[in-house]
Amino acid sequence: MRKAMAEAEVGDDVFSEDPTVNQLEKIAAERMGKEAAIFVPSGTMGNLISMLSHCKRGDEVILGDQSHIFLNEVGGLSALGGIHPHIIKNEPDGTLDLKTIEQKIRASDLHYPPTRLITLENTHNYCMGSPISPEYMRQVGNLAQKYNLKIHIDGARIFNAAIALKLDVKDLLCEADSVMFCLSKGLSAPVGSIVCGGKDFIHMTRKWRKMVGGGMRQSGHLAAAGIIALNNLTERLEEDHSNAQKLAQELASLKGIVLKPELIKTNIIFFRLEDPNIKPESFLKDLEAQGIKILMIHEGVFRIVLHREISEPQVKLVIKAITVLMK
Ligand SMILES: Cc1ncc(COP(=O)(O)O)c(C=O)c1O
């Protein structure tokens, strides 16, 4: 990957003249089954410019209360886009209840902001990395059609969903007007995300990308890593899923760890520490001292994410370290 990055043929991508970026965007659009694609520095920017392109100031977007866009993207949609978030409780599997979505879609009324967009996350980071099924997507698609709404997918880990459900990634996106996915994270590129959608939509995202400072010059050096990620590294996500499952099963057998391995479908594990003798902060520090970095999402609730650089020996190490701490 580093060699490909060093040797990439580059040009000025602000003028769409970088051949490596153009190649990456073409491959990405084809993989997602969409007309066009745009390379962006991060998933956050990809989601932001997608929402800015679908919505006008004062429009409303329906999204989950556990979604990354709502929780972790600095409220960019409101702060920069004047877009009103209409929040619905996420179900434990990451979906939004269909009846609730329908109830929340605004009628045409002087007092209401117009509903423009439904945003879903697949896989759902804070809902155990759950993959969202194409059957559910079809139902949301029917609703969107009925009320003339657009659908955006925060698919930061959409390939994890496709692998877990044993489907082509396109099958998860038939109803989506746009999708953002990350080349970093499990796909192992150092930087970058992609937004895919229709030609006119992507044309608009290009203007927004420039406005929010994401127009890059010789970004082919970064895109070269993305091409390798897309061409060679999607299938290997299966390894992360099986390592996550092994780790989850072992951790679940430890007294003081609350975890249901049957809920782990991809590369993300959540567990709760329930041992009155162990302080969550010191649990975290003790692991960090051994080179094991996990995230405390809130007091006593932890997230572990598996990726290419954590293979079986590291999984064993983590199991051993946590087993010793729980004794
Ligand atoms: C579901 C989801 N969407 C979007 C993002 C944002 O990606 P980035 O960190 O590249 O901005 C993340 C990051 O973890 C994520 O988990």
Side-chain angles (χ1 to χ4, degrees), residues 42-44 47 68 73 121 125 154 156-157 180 182 184-185 193:
S42 70
T44 300
N47 281 331
H68 195 273
E73 299 187 9
E121 191 173 309
N125 184 344
D154 175 352
R157 300 178 184 82
M180 181 286 292
C182 293
S184 60
K185 309 190 171 53
S193 297

Side-chain angles (χ1 to χ4, degrees), residues 294-322:
I294 68 173
L295 198 63
M296 184 153 73
I297 297 288
H298 41 86
E299 188 69 9
V301 177
F302 297 89
R303 189 189 73 164
I304 298 181
V305 181
L306 282 289
H307 55 79
R308 187 175 55 90
E309 288 176 9
I310 303 174
S311 47
E312 257 186 279
Q314 283 86 35
V315 169
K316 283 189 182 143
L317 247 157
V318 175
I319 294 166
K320 196 168 155 205
I322 298 184

Side-chain angles (χ1 to χ4, degrees), residues 102-326:
E102 190 158 17
Q103 280 163 7
K104 300 287 181 188
I105 296 170
R106 305 283 193 163
S108 166
D109 183 296
L110 174 70
H111 302 83
Y112 298 152
T115 312
R116 194 71 61 198
L117 179 68
I118 301 170
T119 293
L120 299 168
E121 191 173 309
N122 196 7
T123 62
H124 201 294
N125 184 344
Y126 289 120
C127 295
M128 298 272 178
S130 298
I132 309 265
S133 71
E135 293 75 29
Y136 176 79
M137 282 305 304
R138 270 191 283 283
Q139 289 173 296
V140 177
N142 290 341
L143 268 182
Q145 231 178 14
K146 184 169 166 192
Y147 293 96
N148 197 23
L149 305 179
K150 301 284 185 200
I151 298 178
H152 172 68
I153 304 295
D154 175 352
R157 300 178 184 82
I158 193 78
F159 283 101
N160 293 85
I163 294 284
L165 298 169
K166 300 189 175 13
L167 292 170
D168 188 308
V169 71
K170 282 193 195 86
D171 299 336
L172 297 171
L173 297 169
C174 303
E175 287 75 18
D177 296 281
S178 58
V179 56
M180 181 286 292
F181 71 92
C182 293
L183 296 160
S184 60
K185 309 190 171 53
L187 292 191
S188 312
V191 178
S193 297
I194 300 265
V195 176
C196 297
K199 271 203 180 103
D200 293 345
F201 169 81
I202 293 297
H203 178 71
M204 212 161 357
T205 60
R206 239 171 247 291
K207 281 200 97 140
W208 282 117
R209 182 185 69 170
K210 187 72 187 128
M211 196 186 289
V212 296
M216 296 181 284
R217 300 293 175 188
Q218 284 72 34
S219 44
H221 289 299
L222 301 175
I227 292 173
I228 291 181
L230 268 186
N231 285 345
N232 306 332
L233 296 171
T234 55
E235 296 301 312
R236 64 146 306 281
L237 295 173
E238 176 60 41
E239 272 171 52
D240 298 340
H241 298 181
S242 98
N243 283 333
Q245 192 48 234
K246 276 181 216 146
L247 181 53
Q249 284 180 18
E250 293 287 343
L251 295 183
S253 70
L254 299 176
K255 195 166 163 281
I257 301 262
V258 181
L259 165 61
K260 290 189 179 152
E262 66 275 17
L263 297 182
I264 313 297
K265 302 278 186 338
T266 62
N267 65 330
I268 296 181
I269 300 173
F270 279 87
F271 67 90
R272 210 170 56 247
L273 181 65
E274 266 189 12
D275 185 327
N277 300 317
I278 305 176
K279 286 212 167 70
E281 290 74 19
S282 57
F283 179 77
L284 205 60
K285 266 197 196 139
D286 286 343
L287 288 177
E288 197 158 351
Q290 299 176 65
I292 300 166
K293 288 187 88 173
I294 68 173
L295 198 63
M296 184 153 73
I297 297 288
H298 41 86
E299 188 69 9
V301 177
F302 297 89
R303 189 189 73 164
I304 298 181
V305 181
L306 282 289
H307 55 79
R308 187 175 55 90
E309 288 176 9
I310 303 174
S311 47
E312 257 186 279
Q314 283 86 35
V315 169
K316 283 189 182 143
L317 247 157
V318 175
I319 294 166
K320 196 168 155 205
I322 298 184
T323 308
V324 170
L325 286 180
M326 300 307 295

